[in-house]
């Protein structure tokens, strides 16, 4: 069974966040910027999907905090 999720998230600086996240993209996850943070995950197990999304969201949260401090 294929488990799939796509998130679209607003950000103060989506380009900077995606640049920070991109090096860690495995082959089954992808993030890109299109005026927003776009994340797509395709995996075989629901647990893997939830873990990947949790990792992305925690990293995005940290990036947003750093952007706030730098502003």
């Amino acid at each position: 069974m294929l488990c799939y999720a796509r998130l679209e998230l607003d950000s103060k600086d989506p380009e900077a966040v995606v640049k920070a996240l991109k090096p860690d993209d495995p082959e089954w996850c992808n993030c890109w910027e299109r005026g927003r943070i776009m994340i797509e995950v395709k995996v075989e197990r629901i647990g893997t999907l939830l873990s990947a999304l949790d990792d992305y969201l925690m990293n995005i949260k940290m990036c947003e905090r750093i952007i706030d401090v730098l502003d």
Side-chain angles (χ1 to χ4, degrees):
M1 177 172 91
L2 179 66
C3 299
Y4 172 82
R6 181 173 175 179
L7 302 177
E8 297 183 23
L9 304 165
D10 291 323
S11 174
K12 292 179 183 178
D13 192 346
E15 184 178 358
V17 173
V18 168
K19 282 182 181 179
L21 298 175
K22 195 69 178 156
D24 291 331
D25 280 357
E27 61 195 41
W28 41 271
C29 293
N30 192 22
C31 69
W32 67 96
E33 183 268 332
R34 190 178 292 153
R36 307 174 90 186
I37 301 167
M38 311 292 287
I39 299 169
E40 190 173 73
V41 181
K42 297 177 186 176
V43 294
E44 295 293 324
R45 298 174 56 193
I46 190 72
T48 306
L49 176 71
L50 294 173
S51 292
L53 294 175
D54 183 58
D55 286 346
Y56 270 112
L57 293 172
M58 292 302 293
N59 288 326
I60 289 168
K61 184 177 177 181
M62 184 57 65
C63 288
E64 292 290 335
R65 285 182 180 168
I66 291 168
I67 289 169
D68 285 343
V69 169
L70 294 175
D71 278 344

